[in-house]
């Protein structure tokens, strides 16, 4: 079976072994198969529990849905196999508080923060870096608000390829920066925002012959598709009604839409879940476009506490627009205060996530309150990153006056003072 690059705008096609990210018309490319794919649910289910690579990976388990790569080129930690937690209001135990908060008796969260570098980016990076190895790339690079740089730095280190990352100076959580530095990437702190870093890294890669691994790279999107395949498998191939997810650069929105359409075409599922990408109000260009029925494309000067989605000019806009339209989806925006409140609820349930992740729960709650999502709907919310990705924001929230703030108690080192502090909890 052969694969090619295809342009959804003008129809041009290109060989998959070219280093190319966009069509000559300027539109982003996607990877498509030129022949039929022969696969069934049993193909994937039979690989569950396999301990050897590549099928030990929750990405490469779905190999038939990915571009062909020889085993010798695959760079895997392995990734994927992240948990799908039942957190609906009808569940027993502490997890149910998330469903109660969202107003949903049937709610699951898919926690992509359980990947090796603690974010969903690892799914795309295992495919992207593997392709870099197959192409014999001399170096790889990305622009990042943190999670992409951490993931690329890790996979590049495993592959033994030099790695360059461009991050906005002073606008990246220290946990993410720490990972990037620790994994050995050459880190350039750009005096500007993410969009400036993204523009610069594309120019640098083109002029210095460095392989670009932002989500404009179609191989990244292919890896991220497996979030959808894995959650469908975890739900015994009975798709939910809705999938809510944080939306920044829109790579995940594009990837999940592509995966769901492929799954239906192959008969893996009989109906399409509706996508609900959620943006922060201070970084909402995709929401603004949606509000015009996508007749206009917007860019903004992004400003949000959710740094992972602090992006004003998303690269995957066109592909994400297609995903929303073809799944009958909606786009919503939520405030930073709503994101932090939802995050506190997720954290208090014992699951935890970084701020951007909580946009999915805040958005689901908003859509239930507005009547878009029915309370009887089956919903999956994607959590994209681990709670330890941004500890400063978590601590600052709990030191403040938020609804769910959990202030620490300062007491003298004496039994009577400790006893008095604990008394109301016993």
């Amino acid at each position: 079976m052969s694969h090619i690059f295809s342009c959804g705008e003008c129809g041009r096609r290109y060989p998959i072994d070219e280093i190319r990210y966009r069509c000559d018309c300027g539109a982003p490319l996607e990877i498509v198969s030129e022949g039929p794919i022969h696969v069934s649910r049993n193909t994937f289910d039979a690989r569950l529990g396999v301990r050897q690579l590549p099928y030990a990976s929750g990405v490469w388990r779905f190999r038939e849905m990915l571009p062909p790569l020889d085993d010798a080129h695959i760079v895997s930690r392995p990734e994927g196999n992240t948990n799908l937690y039942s957190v609906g209001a009808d569940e027993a135990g502490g997890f149910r508080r998330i469903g109660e908060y969202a107003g949903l008796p049937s709610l699951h969260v898919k926690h992509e923060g359980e990947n090796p570098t603690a974010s969903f980016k690892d799914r795309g990076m295992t495919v992207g870096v593997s392709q870099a190895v197959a192409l014999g790339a001399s170096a790889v690079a990305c622009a990042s608000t943190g999670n992409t740089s951490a993931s690329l730095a890790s996979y590049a280190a495993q592959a033994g390829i030099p790695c360059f990352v461009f991050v906005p100076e002073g606008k990246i959580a220290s946990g993410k920066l720490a990972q990037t530095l620790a994994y050995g990437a050459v880190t350039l702190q750009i005096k500007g925002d993410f969009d400036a870093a993204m523009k610069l890294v594309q120019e640098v890669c083109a002029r210095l012959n460095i392989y670009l691994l932002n989500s404009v790279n179609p191989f990244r999107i292919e890896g991220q598709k497996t979030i959808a395949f894995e959650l469908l498998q975890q739900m015994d191939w009975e798709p939910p009604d809705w999938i809510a997810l944080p939306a920044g650069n829109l790579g995940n929105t594009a990837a999940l839409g592509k995966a769901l359409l492929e799954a239906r075409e192959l008969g893996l599922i009989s109906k399409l879940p509706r996508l609900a990408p959620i943006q922060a109000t201070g970084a909402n260009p995709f929401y603004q476009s949606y509000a015009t029925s996508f007749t206009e494309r917007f860019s903004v000067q992004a400003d949000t506490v959710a740094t992972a989605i602090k992006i004003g000019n998303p690269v995957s806009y066109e592909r994400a627009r297609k995903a929303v339209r073809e799944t009958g989806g909606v786009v919503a925006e939520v405030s930073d205060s709503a994101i932090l409140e939802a995050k506190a609820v997720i954290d208090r349930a014992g699951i935890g996530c970084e701020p951007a992740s909580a946009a999915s729960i805040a958005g689901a709650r908003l859509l239930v309150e507005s009547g878009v999502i029915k309370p009887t709907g089956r919903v999956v919310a994607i959590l994209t990153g681990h709670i330890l990705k941004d500890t400063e924001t978590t601590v600052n929230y709990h030191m403040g006056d938020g609804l769910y703030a959990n202030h620490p108690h300062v007491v003298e080192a004496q039994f009577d003072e400790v006893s008095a502090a604990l008394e109301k909890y016993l």
Side-chain angles (χ1 to χ4, degrees), residues 165-172 177 181 187-192:
V165 303
F166 295 59
V167 299
E169 184 184 26
K171 300 173 184 177
I172 174 174
L177 180 60
L181 298 173
T187 304
L188 304 177
Q189 294 184 295
I190 306 301
K191 294 183 183 297

Side-chain angles (χ1 to χ4, degrees), residues 23-54:
C23 177
D24 289 342
C25 75
L29 296 168
E30 64 178 11
I31 296 172
V32 299
S33 170
E34 286 193 294
I37 298 174
H38 301 289
V39 72
S40 69
R41 298 173 182 178
N42 290 337
T43 304
F44 304 133
D45 291 348
R47 295 169 183 164
L48 285 169
V50 173
R51 296 181 181 180
Q52 292 77 36
L53 288 173

Side-chain angles (χ1 to χ4, degrees), residues 139-143 149 152-154 156-157 161-167 177 179-190 201 210:
V140 293
C142 71
S149 63
L152 178 58
S154 172
I161 302 173
C163 174
F164 308 109
V165 303
F166 295 59
V167 299
L177 180 60
Q179 285 181 285
T180 305
L181 298 173
Y183 296 140
V186 175
T187 304
L188 304 177
Q189 294 184 295
I190 306 301
V201 76
I210 298 170

Side-chain angles (χ1 to χ4, degrees), residues 31 65 222 225 229 258-267:
I31 296 172
M65 311 305 298
E222 292 299 296
K225 287 190 321 188
F229 297 134
K258 188 171 190 285
L260 294 172
L261 290 167
E262 290 174 352
R264 186 180 65 175
E265 182 180 348
L266 291 171

Side-chain angles (χ1 to χ4, degrees), residues 186-208:
V186 175
T187 304
L188 304 177
Q189 294 184 295
I190 306 301
K191 294 183 183 297
D193 59 13
F194 169 82
D195 299 301
M198 186 68 220
K199 181 178 179 181
L200 186 59
V201 76
Q202 290 181 88
E203 180 183 1
V204 168
C205 286
R207 296 177 66 173
L208 300 183

